[in-house]
Amino acid sequence: MNPRIRRELARKLELARDEIEDGLRYGVPHLVGEIRNAYDDNGGSPDLSLSVVVFEKARHSFVIREDGGTFFMYPAENSNHRRLFFSLWRFLDGKNHSGGRFEPGMHIRGILRSAVQRAGFEVLWINVRPAGRGEYIDVWATKDGVRYNMLFEKISSGEYVLLEIEKV
């Protein structure tokens, strides 16, 4: 990703520090953002918008890459803007930020059903939906008696990104 977008993200997180700290008093603050032109290395200026919203008890995260932009929501449970920057950056890059848990943004390689099962889920149902040039895969699964809906995007043959996971 463009180095200028990293600088802009760090700057916006610094500006949002007070809002995040205030949100921690009421619930779980979340960063909601949109990045445009992040991959343009030809002098195009990257655009980043960032807002803070607070959920009373819920914790949500997702990354959607579409039409040259990246849209995301990420819990800002740490008011230290440097730590928050690095965890958000790893999340946006799809690195294994989850400590072994399935979380939005993580990349999965290989057979999707097998990867979900290796993570301890029992797969109940899988549905593949064509979307433009790509595919989205809905997975219903259970783990420890809890049902989950997962949404994956197929980014290449045998490679997937978890976009969303929610308890049902």
Side-chain angles (χ1 to χ4, degrees):
M1 198 177 280
N2 188 320
R4 287 178 289 173
I5 203 68
R6 286 194 298 259
R7 285 191 296 274
E8 184 66 9
L9 181 61
R11 187 181 75 77
K12 297 261 178 151
L13 285 173
E14 172 69 26
L15 293 173
R17 182 192 318 199
D18 292 340
E19 203 172 344
I20 293 168
E21 287 178 0
D22 191 43
L24 286 168
R25 292 187 285 161
Y26 302 103
V28 182
H30 287 68
L31 301 170
V32 178
E34 177 181 349
I35 302 171
R36 292 268 180 204
N37 304 322
Y39 300 97
D40 183 3
D41 292 324
N42 299 322
S45 177
D47 298 318
L48 172 73
S49 62
L50 189 69
S51 300
V52 178
V53 297
V54 178
F55 293 99
E56 187 175 345
K57 296 179 184 175
R59 185 179 185 276
H60 304 284
S61 58
F62 67 83
V63 173
I64 298 173
R65 290 176 176 79
E66 189 171 88
D67 297 329
T70 301
F71 309 91
F72 64 90
M73 180 185 298
Y74 188 76
E77 297 173 301
N78 191 334
S79 63
N80 180 320
H81 70 281
R82 287 183 181 95
R83 283 189 187 171
L84 183 57
F85 169 80
F86 287 114
S87 64
L88 176 59
W89 190 253
R90 288 182 55 78
F91 174 72
L92 292 173
D93 264 356
K95 302 286 194 269
N96 187 6
H97 60 282
S98 61
R101 296 176 300 170
F102 262 34
E103 287 191 3
M106 72 180 292
H107 286 248
I108 295 172
R109 289 184 172 81
I111 300 169
L112 183 59
R113 176 184 289 271
S114 298
V116 172
Q117 289 172 334
R118 278 193 306 274
F121 293 92
E122 178 185 346
V123 176
L124 303 173
W125 179 76
I126 294 180
N127 182 44
V128 178
R129 293 182 284 145
R133 289 176 260 154
E135 293 179 345
Y136 290 100
I137 298 100
D138 295 300
V139 177
W140 290 359
T142 62
K143 183 175 184 176
D144 300 327
V146 178
R147 291 184 187 185
Y148 294 88
N149 285 345
M150 299 177 214
L151 177 63
F152 294 89
E153 179 181 9
K154 182 177 182 179
I155 56 175
S156 67
S157 180
E159 188 172 0
Y160 308 89
V161 174
L162 178 60
L163 300 176
E164 196 174 291
I165 183 170
E166 65 180 340
K167 291 181 183 179
V168 181

